[in-house]
PDB file of all heavy atoms in Angstrom:
ATOM      1  N   LEU S  45      21.030  14.623  14.493  1.00 75.00           N
ATOM      2  CA  LEU S  45      20.374  15.799  13.920  1.00 75.00           C
ATOM      3  C   LEU S  45      18.898  15.899  14.281  1.00 75.00           C
ATOM      4  O   LEU S  45      18.288  16.951  14.089  1.00 75.00           O
ATOM      5  CB  LEU S  45      20.510  15.777  12.386  1.00 75.00           C
ATOM      6  CG  LEU S  45      21.942  15.737  11.841  1.00 75.00           C
ATOM      7  CD1 LEU S  45      21.912  15.562  10.337  1.00 75.00           C
ATOM      8  CD2 LEU S  45      22.680  16.999  12.222  1.00 75.00           C
ATOM      9  N   LEU S  46      18.310  14.811  14.776  1.00 71.00           N
ATOM     10  CA  LEU S  46      16.892  14.800  15.105  1.00 71.00           C
ATOM     11  C   LEU S  46      16.668  15.331  16.506  1.00 71.00           C
ATOM     12  O   LEU S  46      17.319  14.919  17.454  1.00 71.00           O
ATOM     13  CB  LEU S  46      16.338  13.372  14.992  1.00 71.00           C
ATOM     14  CG  LEU S  46      16.436  12.728  13.615  1.00 71.00           C
ATOM     15  CD1 LEU S  46      15.997  11.274  13.705  1.00 71.00           C
ATOM     16  CD2 LEU S  46      15.590  13.476  12.619  1.00 71.00           C
ATOM     17  N   VAL S  47      15.723  16.253  16.627  1.00 75.00           N
ATOM     18  CA  VAL S  47      15.397  16.812  17.932  1.00 75.00           C
ATOM     19  C   VAL S  47      13.940  16.497  18.235  1.00 75.00           C
ATOM     20  O   VAL S  47      13.042  16.879  17.494  1.00 75.00           O
ATOM     21  CB  VAL S  47      15.609  18.342  17.943  1.00 75.00           C
ATOM     22  CG1 VAL S  47      15.205  18.927  19.279  1.00 75.00           C
ATOM     23  CG2 VAL S  47      17.045  18.668  17.613  1.00 75.00           C
ATOM     24  N   GLY S  48      13.703  15.754  19.285  1.00 76.00           N
ATOM     25  CA  GLY S  48      12.345  15.443  19.700  1.00 76.00           C
ATOM     26  C   GLY S  48      11.701  14.284  18.957  1.00 76.00           C
ATOM     27  O   GLY S  48      10.527  14.011  19.134  1.00 76.00           O
ATOM     28  N   VAL S  49      12.459  13.585  18.108  1.00 73.00           N
ATOM     29  CA  VAL S  49      11.939  12.437  17.370  1.00 73.00           C
ATOM     30  C   VAL S  49      12.945  11.308  17.524  1.00 73.00           C
ATOM     31  O   VAL S  49      14.140  11.515  17.358  1.00 73.00           O
ATOM     32  CB  VAL S  49      11.763  12.768  15.864  1.00 73.00           C
ATOM     33  CG1 VAL S  49      11.236  11.566  15.112  1.00 73.00           C
ATOM     34  CG2 VAL S  49      10.855  13.955  15.673  1.00 73.00           C
ATOM     35  N   SER S  50      12.441  10.119  17.840  1.00 73.00           N
ATOM     36  CA  SER S  50      13.371   8.992  17.956  1.00 73.00           C
ATOM     37  C   SER S  50      13.853   8.587  16.566  1.00 73.00           C
ATOM     38  O   SER S  50      13.212   8.865  15.558  1.00 73.00           O
ATOM     39  CB  SER S  50      12.684   7.804  18.646  1.00 73.00           C
ATOM     40  OG  SER S  50      11.744   7.211  17.781  1.00 73.00           O
ATOM     41  N   THR S  51      14.980   7.907  16.521  1.00 68.00           N
ATOM     42  CA  THR S  51      15.568   7.553  15.225  1.00 68.00           C
ATOM     43  C   THR S  51      14.774   6.485  14.491  1.00 68.00           C
ATOM     44  O   THR S  51      14.893   6.359  13.281  1.00 68.00           O
ATOM     45  CB  THR S  51      17.010   7.062  15.415  1.00 68.00           C
ATOM     46  OG1 THR S  51      17.009   5.974  16.339  1.00 68.00           O
ATOM     47  CG2 THR S  51      17.897   8.180  15.890  1.00 68.00           C
ATOM     48  N   HIS S  52      13.972   5.727  15.186  1.00 73.00           N
ATOM     49  CA  HIS S  52      13.176   4.677  14.548  1.00 73.00           C
ATOM     50  C   HIS S  52      11.686   4.919  14.774  1.00 73.00           C
ATOM     51  O   HIS S  52      10.933   3.990  15.027  1.00 73.00           O
ATOM     52  CB  HIS S  52      13.570   3.301  15.077  1.00 73.00           C
ATOM     53  CG  HIS S  52      14.969   2.914  14.746  1.00 73.00           C
ATOM     54  ND1 HIS S  52      15.388   2.688  13.461  1.00 73.00           N
ATOM     55  CD2 HIS S  52      16.057   2.737  15.528  1.00 73.00           C
ATOM     56  CE1 HIS S  52      16.662   2.377  13.468  1.00 73.00           C
ATOM     57  NE2 HIS S  52      17.101   2.404  14.708  1.00 73.00           N
ATOM     58  N   ASP S  53      11.249   6.156  14.647  1.00 78.00           N
ATOM     59  CA  ASP S  53       9.838   6.513  14.853  1.00 78.00           C
ATOM     60  C   ASP S  53       9.028   6.061  13.637  1.00 78.00           C
ATOM     61  O   ASP S  53       9.173   6.608  12.540  1.00 78.00           O
ATOM     62  CB  ASP S  53       9.711   8.027  15.034  1.00 78.00           C
ATOM     63  CG  ASP S  53       8.307   8.449  15.369  1.00 78.00           C
ATOM     64  OD1 ASP S  53       7.557   7.620  15.927  1.00 78.00           O
ATOM     65  OD2 ASP S  53       7.950   9.602  15.074  1.00 78.00           O
ATOM     66  N   PRO S  54       8.170   5.046  13.789  1.00 83.00           N
ATOM     67  CA  PRO S  54       7.431   4.530  12.638  1.00 83.00           C
ATOM     68  C   PRO S  54       6.462   5.542  12.042  1.00 83.00           C
ATOM     69  O   PRO S  54       6.267   5.573  10.826  1.00 83.00           O
ATOM     70  CB  PRO S  54       6.681   3.320  13.188  1.00 83.00           C
ATOM     71  CG  PRO S  54       6.996   3.209  14.612  1.00 83.00           C
ATOM     72  CD  PRO S  54       7.924   4.293  14.997  1.00 83.00           C
ATOM     73  N   ALA S  55       5.879   6.382  12.863  1.00 84.00           N
ATOM     74  CA  ALA S  55       4.927   7.373  12.340  1.00 84.00           C
ATOM     75  C   ALA S  55       5.618   8.349  11.392  1.00 84.00           C
ATOM     76  O   ALA S  55       5.066   8.712  10.346  1.00 84.00           O
ATOM     77  CB  ALA S  55       4.273   8.124  13.491  1.00 84.00           C
ATOM     78  N   THR S  56       6.830   8.762  11.725  1.00 77.00           N
ATOM     79  CA  THR S  56       7.582   9.671  10.861  1.00 77.00           C
ATOM     80  C   THR S  56       7.912   9.014   9.528  1.00 77.00           C
ATOM     81  O   THR S  56       7.757   9.630   8.473  1.00 77.00           O
ATOM     82  CB  THR S  56       8.883  10.102  11.560  1.00 77.00           C
ATOM     83  OG1 THR S  56       8.555  10.683  12.820  1.00 77.00           O
ATOM     84  CG2 THR S  56       9.651  11.095  10.721  1.00 77.00           C
ATOM     85  N   PHE S  57       8.325   7.751   9.569  1.00 76.00           N
ATOM     86  CA  PHE S  57       8.617   7.036   8.329  1.00 76.00           C
ATOM     87  C   PHE S  57       7.368   6.879   7.474  1.00 76.00           C
ATOM     88  O   PHE S  57       7.408   7.064   6.258  1.00 76.00           O
ATOM     89  CB  PHE S  57       9.225   5.663   8.626  1.00 76.00           C
ATOM     90  CG  PHE S  57      10.701   5.692   8.817  1.00 76.00           C
ATOM     91  CD1 PHE S  57      11.256   5.731  10.077  1.00 76.00           C
ATOM     92  CD2 PHE S  57      11.555   5.673   7.724  1.00 76.00           C
ATOM     93  CE1 PHE S  57      12.613   5.760  10.261  1.00 76.00           C
ATOM     94  CE2 PHE S  57      12.927   5.696   7.886  1.00 76.00           C
ATOM     95  CZ  PHE S  57      13.460   5.743   9.160  1.00 76.00           C
ATOM     96  N   VAL S  58       6.248   6.555   8.087  1.00 83.00           N
ATOM     97  CA  VAL S  58       5.009   6.357   7.332  1.00 83.00           C
ATOM     98  C   VAL S  58       4.540   7.668   6.708  1.00 83.00           C
ATOM     99  O   VAL S  58       4.168   7.707   5.531  1.00 83.00           O
ATOM    100  CB  VAL S  58       3.912   5.744   8.233  1.00 83.00           C
ATOM    101  CG1 VAL S  58       2.562   5.760   7.548  1.00 83.00           C
ATOM    102  CG2 VAL S  58       4.286   4.322   8.611  1.00 83.00           C
ATOM    103  N   VAL S  59       4.560   8.746   7.464  1.00 84.00           N
ATOM    104  CA  VAL S  59       4.133  10.041   6.927  1.00 84.00           C
ATOM    105  C   VAL S  59       5.038  10.481   5.784  1.00 84.00           C
ATOM    106  O   VAL S  59       4.559  10.952   4.738  1.00 84.00           O
ATOM    107  CB  VAL S  59       4.092  11.110   8.049  1.00 84.00           C
ATOM    108  CG1 VAL S  59       3.919  12.497   7.488  1.00 84.00           C
ATOM    109  CG2 VAL S  59       2.981  10.792   9.036  1.00 84.00           C
ATOM    110  N   ALA S  60       6.334  10.317   5.941  1.00 79.00           N
ATOM    111  CA  ALA S  60       7.269  10.691   4.872  1.00 79.00           C
ATOM    112  C   ALA S  60       7.056   9.825   3.644  1.00 79.00           C
ATOM    113  O   ALA S  60       7.030  10.327   2.511  1.00 79.00           O
ATOM    114  CB  ALA S  60       8.700  10.576   5.376  1.00 79.00           C
ATOM    115  N   LEU S  61       6.883   8.537   3.832  1.00 79.00           N
ATOM    116  CA  LEU S  61       6.688   7.622   2.711  1.00 79.00           C
ATOM    117  C   LEU S  61       5.395   7.924   1.965  1.00 79.00           C
ATOM    118  O   LEU S  61       5.386   8.011   0.736  1.00 79.00           O
ATOM    119  CB  LEU S  61       6.683   6.179   3.207  1.00 79.00           C
ATOM    120  CG  LEU S  61       6.461   5.100   2.155  1.00 79.00           C
ATOM    121  CD1 LEU S  61       7.637   5.095   1.186  1.00 79.00           C
ATOM    122  CD2 LEU S  61       6.294   3.757   2.810  1.00 79.00           C
ATOM    123  N   VAL S  62       4.314   8.121   2.684  1.00 87.00           N
ATOM    124  CA  VAL S  62       3.022   8.396   2.043  1.00 87.00           C
ATOM    125  C   VAL S  62       3.047   9.739   1.319  1.00 87.00           C
ATOM    126  O   VAL S  62       2.548   9.848   0.192  1.00 87.00           O
ATOM    127  CB  VAL S  62       1.883   8.333   3.082  1.00 87.00           C
ATOM    128  CG1 VAL S  62       0.584   8.865   2.519  1.00 87.00           C
ATOM    129  CG2 VAL S  62       1.696   6.906   3.567  1.00 87.00           C
ATOM    130  N   SER S  63       3.644  10.749   1.919  1.00 88.00           N
ATOM    131  CA  SER S  63       3.687  12.060   1.253  1.00 88.00           C
ATOM    132  C   SER S  63       4.546  12.009  -0.009  1.00 88.00           C
ATOM    133  O   SER S  63       4.179  12.598  -1.036  1.00 88.00           O
ATOM    134  CB  SER S  63       4.191  13.135   2.212  1.00 88.00           C
ATOM    135  OG  SER S  63       5.500  12.863   2.632  1.00 88.00           O
ATOM    136  N   MET S  64       5.669  11.284   0.029  1.00 82.00           N
ATOM    137  CA  MET S  64       6.493  11.149  -1.178  1.00 82.00           C
ATOM    138  C   MET S  64       5.779  10.324  -2.244  1.00 82.00           C
ATOM    139  O   MET S  64       5.877  10.622  -3.436  1.00 82.00           O
ATOM    140  CB  MET S  64       7.844  10.513  -0.836  1.00 82.00           C
ATOM    141  CG  MET S  64       8.777  11.455  -0.113  1.00 82.00           C
ATOM    142  SD  MET S  64      10.432  10.769   0.109  1.00 82.00           S
ATOM    143  CE  MET S  64      10.130   9.464   1.275  1.00 82.00           C
ATOM    144  N   LEU S  65       5.039   9.311  -1.830  1.00 83.00           N
ATOM    145  CA  LEU S  65       4.296   8.484  -2.776  1.00 83.00           C
ATOM    146  C   LEU S  65       3.209   9.294  -3.467  1.00 83.00           C
ATOM    147  O   LEU S  65       3.058   9.230  -4.692  1.00 83.00           O
ATOM    148  CB  LEU S  65       3.689   7.276  -2.067  1.00 83.00           C
ATOM    149  CG  LEU S  65       2.873   6.335  -2.926  1.00 83.00           C
ATOM    150  CD1 LEU S  65       3.740   5.722  -4.010  1.00 83.00           C
ATOM    151  CD2 LEU S  65       2.244   5.254  -2.079  1.00 83.00           C
ATOM    152  N   ILE S  66       2.473  10.090  -2.732  1.00 90.00           N
ATOM    153  CA  ILE S  66       1.416  10.918  -3.314  1.00 90.00           C
ATOM    154  C   ILE S  66       1.999  11.951  -4.268  1.00 90.00           C
ATOM    155  O   ILE S  66       1.510  12.135  -5.386  1.00 90.00           O
ATOM    156  CB  ILE S  66       0.577  11.589  -2.203  1.00 90.00           C
ATOM    157  CG1 ILE S  66      -0.253  10.525  -1.471  1.00 90.00           C
ATOM    158  CG2 ILE S  66      -0.328  12.669  -2.774  1.00 90.00           C
ATOM    159  CD1 ILE S  66      -0.936  11.039  -0.219  1.00 90.00           C
ATOM    160  N   ALA S  67       3.058  12.619  -3.847  1.00 90.00           N
ATOM    161  CA  ALA S  67       3.666  13.647  -4.700  1.00 90.00           C
ATOM    162  C   ALA S  67       4.230  13.049  -5.976  1.00 90.00           C
ATOM    163  O   ALA S  67       4.034  13.585  -7.076  1.00 90.00           O
ATOM    164  CB  ALA S  67       4.761  14.376  -3.922  1.00 90.00           C
ATOM    165  N   SER S  68       4.924  11.928  -5.865  1.00 85.00           N
ATOM    166  CA  SER S  68       5.518  11.328  -7.060  1.00 85.00           C
ATOM    167  C   SER S  68       4.464  10.704  -7.967  1.00 85.00           C
ATOM    168  O   SER S  68       4.593  10.759  -9.195  1.00 85.00           O
ATOM    169  CB  SER S  68       6.580  10.305  -6.683  1.00 85.00           C
ATOM    170  OG  SER S  68       6.033   9.309  -5.847  1.00 85.00           O
ATOM    171  N   ALA S  69       3.401  10.145  -7.404  1.00 85.00           N
ATOM    172  CA  ALA S  69       2.329   9.591  -8.235  1.00 85.00           C
ATOM    173  C   ALA S  69       1.622  10.702  -9.010  1.00 85.00           C
ATOM    174  O   ALA S  69       1.322  10.537 -10.198  1.00 85.00           O
ATOM    175  CB  ALA S  69       1.328   8.829  -7.371  1.00 85.00           C
ATOM    176  N   CYS S  70       1.389  11.833  -8.370  1.00 87.00           N
ATOM    177  CA  CYS S  70       0.778  12.971  -9.079  1.00 87.00           C
ATOM    178  C   CYS S  70       1.714  13.503 -10.155  1.00 87.00           C
ATOM    179  O   CYS S  70       1.273  13.864 -11.247  1.00 87.00           O
ATOM    180  CB  CYS S  70       0.422  14.078  -8.096  1.00 87.00           C
ATOM    181  SG  CYS S  70      -0.973  13.676  -7.040  1.00 87.00           S
ATOM    182  N   ALA S  71       2.995  13.538  -9.864  1.00 87.00           N
ATOM    183  CA  ALA S  71       3.963  14.047 -10.834  1.00 87.00           C
ATOM    184  C   ALA S  71       4.053  13.160 -12.063  1.00 87.00           C
ATOM    185  O   ALA S  71       4.389  13.632 -13.146  1.00 87.00           O
ATOM    186  CB  ALA S  71       5.342  14.164 -10.177  1.00 87.00           C
ATOM    187  N   VAL S  72       3.727  11.891 -11.925  1.00 85.00           N
ATOM    188  CA  VAL S  72       3.791  10.978 -13.062  1.00 85.00           C
ATOM    189  C   VAL S  72       2.431  10.814 -13.728  1.00 85.00           C
ATOM    190  O   VAL S  72       2.320  10.863 -14.946  1.00 85.00           O
ATOM    191  CB  VAL S  72       4.322   9.593 -12.592  1.00 85.00           C
ATOM    192  CG1 VAL S  72       4.148   8.553 -13.667  1.00 85.00           C
ATOM    193  CG2 VAL S  72       5.762   9.709 -12.189  1.00 85.00           C
ATOM    194  N   LEU S  73       1.396  10.630 -12.935  1.00 86.00           N
ATOM    195  CA  LEU S  73       0.096  10.285 -13.499  1.00 86.00           C
ATOM    196  C   LEU S  73      -0.610  11.456 -14.170  1.00 86.00           C
ATOM    197  O   LEU S  73      -1.256  11.265 -15.199  1.00 86.00           O
ATOM    198  CB  LEU S  73      -0.795   9.679 -12.420  1.00 86.00           C
ATOM    199  CG  LEU S  73      -0.367   8.292 -11.955  1.00 86.00           C
ATOM    200  CD1 LEU S  73      -1.255   7.808 -10.827  1.00 86.00           C
ATOM    201  CD2 LEU S  73      -0.400   7.307 -13.096  1.00 86.00           C
ATOM    202  N   VAL S  74      -0.517  12.643 -13.624  1.00 86.00           N
ATOM    203  CA  VAL S  74      -1.231  13.783 -14.215  1.00 86.00           C
ATOM    204  C   VAL S  74      -0.732  14.075 -15.630  1.00 86.00           C
ATOM    205  O   VAL S  74      -1.534  14.105 -16.568  1.00 86.00           O
ATOM    206  CB  VAL S  74      -1.146  15.022 -13.292  1.00 86.00           C
ATOM    207  CG1 VAL S  74      -1.688  16.245 -13.977  1.00 86.00           C
ATOM    208  CG2 VAL S  74      -1.900  14.757 -11.996  1.00 86.00           C
ATOM    209  N   PRO S  75       0.564  14.274 -15.860  1.00 86.00           N
ATOM    210  CA  PRO S  75       1.010  14.482 -17.245  1.00 86.00           C
ATOM    211  C   PRO S  75       0.806  13.244 -18.115  1.00 86.00           C
ATOM    212  O   PRO S  75       0.498  13.358 -19.304  1.00 86.00           O
ATOM    213  CB  PRO S  75       2.491  14.804 -17.133  1.00 86.00           C
ATOM    214  CG  PRO S  75       2.746  15.105 -15.716  1.00 86.00           C
ATOM    215  CD  PRO S  75       1.672  14.451 -14.926  1.00 86.00           C
ATOM    216  N   GLY S  76       0.967  12.068 -17.536  1.00 85.00           N
ATOM    217  CA  GLY S  76       0.780  10.841 -18.300  1.00 85.00           C
ATOM    218  C   GLY S  76      -0.638  10.686 -18.817  1.00 85.00           C
ATOM    219  O   GLY S  76      -0.858  10.287 -19.960  1.00 85.00           O
ATOM    220  N   MET S  77      -1.601  11.016 -17.996  1.00 86.00           N
ATOM    221  CA  MET S  77      -3.002  10.922 -18.420  1.00 86.00           C
ATOM    222  C   MET S  77      -3.320  11.973 -19.475  1.00 86.00           C
ATOM    223  O   MET S  77      -4.116  11.736 -20.383  1.00 86.00           O
ATOM    224  CB  MET S  77      -3.941  11.054 -17.214  1.00 86.00           C
ATOM    225  CG  MET S  77      -3.777   9.926 -16.194  1.00 86.00           C
ATOM    226  SD  MET S  77      -3.940   8.279 -16.880  1.00 86.00           S
ATOM    227  CE  MET S  77      -5.654   8.275 -17.307  1.00 86.00           C
ATOM    228  N   ARG S  78      -2.711  13.144 -19.373  1.00 87.00           N
ATOM    229  CA  ARG S  78      -2.922  14.180 -20.394  1.00 87.00           C
ATOM    230  C   ARG S  78      -2.354  13.745 -21.736  1.00 87.00           C
ATOM    231  O   ARG S  78      -2.945  13.982 -22.784  1.00 87.00           O
ATOM    232  CB  ARG S  78      -2.290  15.493 -19.946  1.00 87.00           C
ATOM    233  CG  ARG S  78      -3.044  16.140 -18.786  1.00 87.00           C
ATOM    234  CD  ARG S  78      -2.339  17.335 -18.231  1.00 87.00           C
ATOM    235  NE  ARG S  78      -2.225  18.410 -19.216  1.00 87.00           N
ATOM    236  CZ  ARG S  78      -1.425  19.437 -19.076  1.00 87.00           C
ATOM    237  NH1 ARG S  78      -0.648  19.521 -18.007  1.00 87.00           N
ATOM    238  NH2 ARG S  78      -1.374  20.374 -19.987  1.00 87.00           N
ATOM    239  N   VAL S  79      -1.195  13.104 -21.713  1.00 86.00           N
ATOM    240  CA  VAL S  79      -0.565  12.654 -22.948  1.00 86.00           C
ATOM    241  C   VAL S  79      -1.374  11.528 -23.594  1.00 86.00           C
ATOM    242  O   VAL S  79      -1.450  11.436 -24.822  1.00 86.00           O
ATOM    243  CB  VAL S  79       0.882  12.203 -22.670  1.00 86.00           C
ATOM    244  CG1 VAL S  79       1.474  11.448 -23.835  1.00 86.00           C
ATOM    245  CG2 VAL S  79       1.740  13.399 -22.333  1.00 86.00           C
TER     246      VAL S  79
END
Side-chain angles (χ1 to χ4, degrees):
L45 302 174
L46 299 174
V47 177
V49 180
S50 72
T51 56
H52 296 294
D53 185 26
T56 304
F57 274 98
V58 170
V59 169
L61 179 65
V62 169
S63 62
M64 286 187 291
L65 179 62
I66 291 170
S68 57
C70 288
V72 169
L73 290 176
V74 171
M77 297 306 292
R78 290 173 63 194
V79 167

